[in-house]
Structure formats: structure tokens, C-alpha cells
Amino acid sequence: MATTKFEYKHMPFFSVVIPLYNKENWIEHTLNSVLNQTFDDYEIIIVNDGSTDRSQEIVMQFTNAKIKYFSKENQGVSVARNFGIEKATANYIAFLDADDLWFPNHLAHLRALIEKDPNTGIYASRYQLIFKNQSIYIPQFKGIPLDYSGIVADYFKSSLHYAIATSSSVAVSKEIFKTVGFFDTSVSAGEDTDMWIRIALKYPVIIGESITASYVHSVKNSLSKKSILQKKIKAFDFYREDELRNPSLKKYLDLYRMEYALQYKMEGKPELAQKLFKDIHPKNIPLKSKILFYTPSNMLVLLKKIKIFLRNNGIDFSIYQ
């Protein structure tokens, strides 16, 4: 049974949905980054997904009437996000992970994008990555100038190296979910990626020119240590017909096939790795990625550790570039 804390009796422009699971070291900073927004017509919906640390205690210290707090049993981030969407009273949902941060102008920036075109599927601000050593990296998107604001011509092509849409930098109309469905609760890896794919296949995506969100990469790295064998990934067959019609989507998904194939190899599951690898179009993966696939699994584990070390020290790169 879910429990709620505050009531905000006004239909706001945004509902900010924050799934919360064991983020006691971050949730206070995250919440304050929302409460410091220059555009203040919003409600905050926090869905505590069965946290076992002090997350609830910290949230309960906030007395702002904009906050609606719900606590429920642990069922995963997709269930928590879907619950938040259902409880939202605004027409637009702005998503935020409980360990990421917004600049004060984030919601104002998204609102300006919405006013440009209220019929878009995804409104995305730009974001920065914060690494463990506190260095900052600003992703660039293929074919999109740094000062560009407007509709993305090819979402999948532009998102090959870094995704335009992330779970802390976008807003989506609540009506969109009636068409594409909610977050897939049957998977536990790449749930948000799957949602952005489904929306981008049916609706245009708009990107702004301003960096208004901070993605705390060191926290995400710690979570990614969970074995792929403990995760449920989306079956790629789900997108099969769309891939046949959309070469950019095929290339985009082939990068994920390769990523999962390498993870399966490192976990000693070569048959699962090979199954994914054979579905990759040869032209969609660079030579260095193919070489990695045939590298012994123990060497792959060592290379991954080196990559994480470099990333934590502000050196980020992709094997797919």
C-alpha cells in the first residue's frame, strides 16, 4: 500500500517524477536542485521504491507543499516511474533520478521548448557528466551543433555515442504514454532507453541548446557493477520490424547488442554473446569492437576495469567511435 505525505491543490505545468531507492547520500541535493528552479509551477512526486537506508527519513524533513511522497514495496524503477506518472496531475512529466541534479533554469528551459511545439514527443535539454574526480564532460550529439535548438532530424543517428534523451533531462506529455505505453516492467536494464526508442519512433524529438542537468556518472558506475546475468534485458525481437524500416535504429540497437554480447562474454556465457553478435550488421560496428568480441574473457574484464578507472578520472570514451 502506498502512503502519501503532502497535498498540492493546483494543477501545475510540470509533474517532476523522482523514483527513489537507497539514495540517502544524494536525495537531499537532488530535491534542493528542484526546489531552486526559477520556473516554479510544478509538483514533485517522489516514489520511494522500498528503500532500506535513510532516504525516507531525509525526504520527510522537507515540508514544501509541492512535494507528494509515496512509499511502496520494492518493485523496480519502471514500476516506480509508472506509479509516478499515474499520480501526476500536470500535463507534462519531467523525469529526474534521485542522484542527479538540475540547474536552476532546467524547467524554464523545457517549458520554452514546449511552447515552441506542444505536439512533440520528447523535450530534451543538454546535460553534463560529473565523474568521480569531479571533472565534467559535456556530451556532443552526432550532427547537432552545440548552439542548435529544435527538432532532431534523426534521433537514433544523433544518439549513437551519447543518448539525447536521458532519465534526468527530458519532459514528456502525459498523453504520449497513452499511445506508446508505460515503462516496461518486465525488464531491469535499459528501461528508459526502451521508452525513448518507442517515443522517438512515433513522435519528433526536440533538443534545446542549454546544458541544464547534471548526470552523476560515478554513482551510475557503481550501480552498473551488477552482473548482466542478474538483469532482464529487452528482447531485441521487439524492435525487429522497426529496424527493417529504419537503418539508423538498426545501427543504434546493434551497439547495444555488442555491449550486451561483451558483458555476456565476461560472465562466461559465450553462447548468449554469440547469439547477439550474429544479429549485428557488420557495417554497424567498427573493427576495434569486433576485435574486442574475439578477445579472451579474462582480458575483457581487465580492459573494463581500466575503462572504469579512466572514466572515474574524467577520461571517457566509446569503443564504438
Side-chain angles (χ1 to χ4, degrees):
M1 177 68 67
T3 60
T4 185
K5 182 182 176 186
F6 300 112
E7 294 296 332
Y8 183 55
K9 298 180 179 179
H10 162 71
M11 181 178 173
F13 190 88
F14 287 109
S15 291
V16 180
V17 172
I18 304 176
L20 173 62
Y21 179 72
N22 288 354
K23 293 294 186 300
E24 63 180 6
N25 294 328
W26 291 96
I27 186 59
E28 181 177 357
H29 302 292
T30 299
L31 263 179
N32 280 327
S33 79
V34 181
L35 294 172
N36 288 332
Q37 291 297 297
T38 57
F39 179 76
D40 65 356
D41 190 11
Y42 61 85
E43 65 179 357
I44 303 172
I45 299 176
I46 301 173
V47 184
N48 184 359
D49 187 35
S51 293
T52 57
D53 62 359
R54 294 179 58 250
S55 292
Q56 174 170 290
E57 177 185 338
I58 293 169
V59 171
M60 298 301 283
Q61 293 173 3
F62 286 80
T63 58
N64 194 296
K66 292 180 179 293
I67 299 174
K68 293 180 179 179
Y69 175 80
F70 299 89
S71 182
K72 54 193 294 301
E73 64 177 327
N74 178 255
Q75 293 178 288
V77 67
S78 288
V79 173
R81 287 194 183 117
N82 291 342
F83 185 91
I85 293 168
E86 290 172 351
K87 293 296 181 181
T89 62
N91 289 329
Y92 292 96
I93 313 295
F95 293 99
L96 178 61
D97 286 349
D99 49 17
D100 289 334
L101 303 168
W102 284 348
F103 290 21
N105 65 333
H106 179 72
L107 291 180
H109 185 58
L110 291 179
R111 180 173 180 263
L113 295 178
I114 291 169
E115 288 179 337
K116 281 185 177 181
D117 187 348
N119 299 313
T120 294
I122 297 174
Y123 302 90
S125 77
R126 302 193 188 228
Y127 57 92
Q128 63 182 16
L129 308 180
I130 301 180
F131 296 99
K132 191 172 183 179
N133 69 346
Q134 297 305 302
S135 63
I136 292 173
Y137 178 78
I138 299 172
Q140 297 185 32
F141 309 112
K142 191 175 180 65
I144 300 180
L146 292 174
D147 59 350
Y148 176 77
S149 178
I151 291 179
V152 177
D154 188 332
Y155 174 82
F156 302 110
K157 181 178 180 180
S158 294
S159 296
L160 283 176
H161 302 144
Y162 287 95
I164 289 173
T166 77
S167 54
S168 292
S169 63
V170 302
V172 177
S173 168
K174 197 171 182 179
E175 291 296 311
I176 296 293
F177 299 107
K178 295 179 182 179
T179 303
V180 304
F182 289 82
F183 287 90
D184 189 342
T185 59
S186 69
V187 299
S188 60
E191 311 94 329
D192 50 348
T193 299
D194 167 63
M195 174 57 74
W196 315 142
I197 289 173
R198 284 189 277 139
I199 297 176
L201 282 170
K202 292 181 178 294
Y203 297 93
V205 175
I206 280 182
I207 188 171
E209 76 283 2
S210 297
I211 299 165
T212 65
S214 295
Y215 183 92
V216 185
H217 222 285
S218 59
V219 176
K220 303 300 188 298
N221 282 341
S222 66
L223 294 177
S224 66
K225 291 180 181 178
K226 189 175 182 180
S227 167
I228 191 172
L229 301 181
Q230 298 173 285
K231 302 174 184 177
K232 295 179 181 178
I233 67 174
K234 186 90 171 186
F236 285 96
D237 286 345
F238 178 86
Y239 312 106
R240 189 72 67 184
E241 291 186 8
D242 290 307
E243 285 183 290
L244 292 174
R245 294 189 294 265
N246 190 325
S248 292
L249 173 63
K250 168 62 176 170
K251 185 170 184 177
Y252 181 79
L253 289 175
D254 277 353
L255 298 188
Y256 281 94
R257 287 185 173 95
M258 175 58 79
E259 176 65 29
Y260 291 141
L262 292 175
Q263 289 187 46
Y264 278 129
K265 276 205 67 174
M266 286 186 281
E267 293 293 340
K269 296 291 182 179
E271 67 284 358
L272 296 177
Q274 187 63 46
K275 183 178 179 180
L276 287 173
F277 187 74
K278 72 178 181 62
D279 284 339
I280 297 173
H281 193 290
K283 292 183 179 180
N284 286 345
I285 298 295
L287 178 60
K288 60 183 175 182
S289 297
K290 296 172 185 175
I291 292 173
L292 277 177
F293 182 78
Y294 292 105
T295 299
S297 58
N298 58 341
M299 181 61 69
L300 285 177
V301 172
L302 176 61
L303 292 173
K304 182 179 180 181
K305 290 179 179 179
I306 293 172
K307 182 178 180 180
I308 291 174
F309 173 80
L310 292 174
R311 177 179 290 169
N312 285 338
N313 286 277
I315 303 173
D316 197 29
F317 60 91
S318 171
I319 64 171
Y320 309 117
Q321 292 176 296

